[in-house]
Amino acid sequence: MATLDWHQTRTDGVTLVELLVTAETETEVQIESNLSPVWPPRRQGQPVAGWDGSTFTAAVDASERLVVGYASPAAPDGKPAELQTAPPEASTEETNADPRAVVRALGEARPPRDLLAEPPQSSEPNPKPSSATDPTTEPSPSADPEKWQRQSESATPSRRPDDRHRVSKPARGSVGVAEPDGTAAELEGYFDTVEKRLRDATRLASVESSEEARTAVTETGGIEAVRQLQAGLAADRERIAEIEQRCQQLSGQLQATEIPVETLERLA
Amino acid sequence: MILAVTAGKGGVGKSTVAYNLAAELDAVAIDADLGMADLPERRGPDLHDVLAGRATPVEAVREDGPVSILPCGRSLAGARAADPTALVEAVERVASQYGRVVIDSPAGMRSDAGLPLLAADACLLVTRPNRPALADAIRTRELARVIETPLCRVALNRVEPEKLETNHRQLATAFGAPVVALPESSTVAQAQRAGQPVSTVAPSSRAATQLQELAKEVERSCNPQAVVKSA
């Protein structure tokens, strides 16, 4: 018999879920999150062992309770997860043959994001799943909400350590504190840049003869500029996806938030 | 058959050996060095696209050159967007379509070096015959052992011609695999620069003969009956 206790904290558009599973005997448990999508804690960019999509599988013992933490952009649910006692054969015993285990053990080898040719930092970056879930990697079941709040804040993008590499970028000061108009203008500027890059890319993609190819490459500024354009587009894809995700979160929050002006007026 | 050509250190001739072995074995060469690709570039989708889910592994294989190749993109953004864990399945799908695959792995000890080993049935370790390269090769040998990929041969690359006949028993004992010496050769370097296998450029050269011999040995030891995964 296993029991599930939970605690949810909502901060900066992210729900941090803390689960505590206890059992009287050794039991294999499977936890299915009701919140979707799940941002599991990551090691070397890969979900930590036990996570498969929105399901976490592990063993729990009478002497050793199981603490699981994860994050989700979804709003807190009454019950964030369902507990199932999995049959032994369903256990996802990890072997060396799992590529994700190899990456976790040997370390991620992808080039860091900061190396890429980034577009101007024109909008508030979306909280990265990995940073948002860092506090939940080793959550303390007894941690008070105050502490969680503090830890969560430290994981918000405006204080990301990466930002010290971006001091020269104009948008740094705008993160979280910019005037709405300023941020909107910067976003507009970024979208214009992306549109220009797309126009250039379309022109390059539509060449049909070697003469056209030469002209298109020269107009772009040489083959090195074409490579940079390609890198820029790849960075744009990532960036635009982040902005889209952020917009969805904000849209959800905007729908759910209403200031009771009349009540405040009466009380004040 | 999936063979990973690996090395402890960069610059020892791993890509050259991988490309020429692929030519001899009539295999698809997969350039799995996601950050610093070396095999010839081709037009069309590459391994970055495959690992980012933008192309299937089989459609990214180019058959128009002297060696069928699954090329790798050169951009950092492409390397960043690629999911390295998808490599194993991609390699398996190419192998199921073409039969034989030679993976040109990155050097080092991180996951980009480990994943090609995980995908392979066996590996070939390339090293220069000098102390720093050998020390790193021993580390890569240990990595292969941990990942449980059998080491079929050690290729001692760019050996001075007068030392070709040296007995490498001590090295073979240290690595736990037979050692094959490949000669220092300007022909090999020229062929690689031209994107051609040595057997095409100089079929009767000593280097071509040695590479053919190495391919035969690799093929023999990769026979499933002959290779047993170490525990």
Side-chain angles (χ1 to χ4, degrees), chain A residues 44 46 96-100 102-103 106-113 115-116 231 234 237-238, chain B residues 41 54 76-77 79-85 88 109-112 114-115 118 143 146-148:
Chain A
Q44 297 295 331
Q46 300 298 320
N96 279 340
D98 181 358
R100 290 186 302 178
V102 170
V103 176
L106 299 179
E108 195 182 21
R110 294 192 302 172
R113 186 191 294 240
L115 270 185
L116 304 184
R237 271 183 216 109
E238 211 168 321
Chain B
E41 274 185 283
R54 294 193 292 265
L76 284 172
R80 170 79 202 171
D83 171 13
T85 62
V88 176
M109 296 289 283
R110 293 182 77 79
S111 59
D112 55 343
L115 288 166
L118 185 67
L143 180 64
V146 170
I147 295 178
E148 300 183 6

Side-chain angles (χ1 to χ4, degrees), chain A residues 134-226:
Chain A
D134 279 350
T136 66
T137 310
E138 298 280 342
S140 157
S142 58
D144 59 63
E146 287 286 324
K147 192 178 171 197
W148 276 98
Q149 190 66 37
R150 233 176 10 251
Q151 286 180 332
S152 304
E153 280 169 3
S154 71
T156 56
S158 60
R159 296 183 195 175
R160 277 195 304 174
D162 307 6
D163 282 340
R164 64 173 182 266
H165 301 302
R166 296 180 179 150
V167 283
S168 59
K169 305 256 169 90
R172 183 176 181 260
S174 76
V175 174
V177 294
E179 290 298 318
D181 289 348
T183 307
E186 283 164 12
L187 258 183
E188 203 58 52
Y190 172 52
F191 289 153
D192 289 346
T193 312
V194 176
E195 277 171 359
K196 181 180 180 316
R197 268 198 277 267
L198 281 171
R199 276 196 302 276
D200 290 347
T202 313
R203 200 180 63 240
L204 284 164
S206 65
V207 297
E208 283 175 349
S209 67
S210 57
E211 189 56 42
E212 282 178 27
R214 263 195 299 279
T215 315
V217 169
T218 313
E219 279 174 5
T220 314
I223 195 67
E224 200 43 51
V226 174

Side-chain angles (χ1 to χ4, degrees), chain B residues 6 15 20 39-41 75 91 135 161 181 194 202 228:
Chain B
T6 185
S15 298
N20 282 286
L39 290 186
E41 274 185 283
S75 72
V91 170
V228 180

Side-chain angles (χ1 to χ4, degrees), chain B:
Chain B
M1 179 187 90
I2 303 173
L3 177 77
V5 176
T6 185
K9 198 179 264 310
V12 296
K14 177 171 38 62
S15 298
T16 307
V17 172
Y19 191 66
N20 282 286
L21 273 185
E24 296 301 331
L25 293 166
D26 194 20
V28 175
I30 297 183
D31 194 347
D33 198 341
L34 300 179
M36 299 179 185
D38 273 331
L39 290 186
E41 274 185 283
R42 299 279 164 81
R43 292 170 69 100
D46 56 38
L47 189 60
H48 284 168
D49 297 314
V50 171
L51 300 186
R54 294 193 292 265
T56 68
V58 172
E59 76 180 338
V61 174
R62 320 307 303 171
E63 297 178 6
D64 48 349
V67 177
S68 292
I69 186 170
L70 201 170
C72 188
R74 263 51 175 179
S75 72
L76 284 172
R80 170 79 202 171
D83 171 13
T85 62
L87 177 74
V88 176
E89 198 194 329
V91 170
E92 282 167 358
R93 283 176 59 187
V94 173
S96 70
Q97 178 78 19
Y98 289 88
R100 291 173 179 178
V101 169
V102 173
I103 313 173
D104 181 17
S105 317
M109 296 289 283
R110 293 182 77 79
S111 59
D112 55 343
L115 288 166
L117 290 171
L118 185 67
D121 303 321
C123 64
L124 176 114
L125 183 52
V126 183
T127 176
R128 291 291 315 280
N130 57 40
R131 192 174 285 272
L134 286 167
D136 286 352
I138 288 283
R139 294 190 184 102
T140 299
R141 201 277 166 268
E142 285 309 307
L143 180 64
R145 215 190 287 277
V146 170
I147 295 178
E148 300 183 6
T149 306
L151 174 65
C152 66
R153 287 291 181 280
V154 175
L156 211 53
N157 199 22
R158 296 172 61 191
V159 177
E160 293 166 29
E162 61 272 21
K163 291 185 182 166
L164 269 181
E165 304 306 325
T166 310
N167 192 324
H168 299 294
R169 194 179 303 150
Q170 208 182 341
L171 273 183
T173 308
F175 284 105
V179 174
V180 177
L182 298 172
E184 172 83 68
S185 159
S186 56
T187 316
V188 176
Q190 279 166 8
Q192 188 72 4
R193 275 199 297 277
Q196 298 284 334
V198 182
S199 55
T200 310
V201 174
S204 56
S205 65
R206 184 163 194 180
T209 317
Q210 298 279 78
L211 282 162
Q212 279 160 11
E213 191 53 38
L214 177 60
K216 278 185 200 149
E217 290 183 24
V218 165
E219 193 164 25
R220 271 199 297 274
S221 59
C222 285
N223 182 331
Q225 275 88 48
V227 178
V228 180
K229 279 219 168 192
S230 59

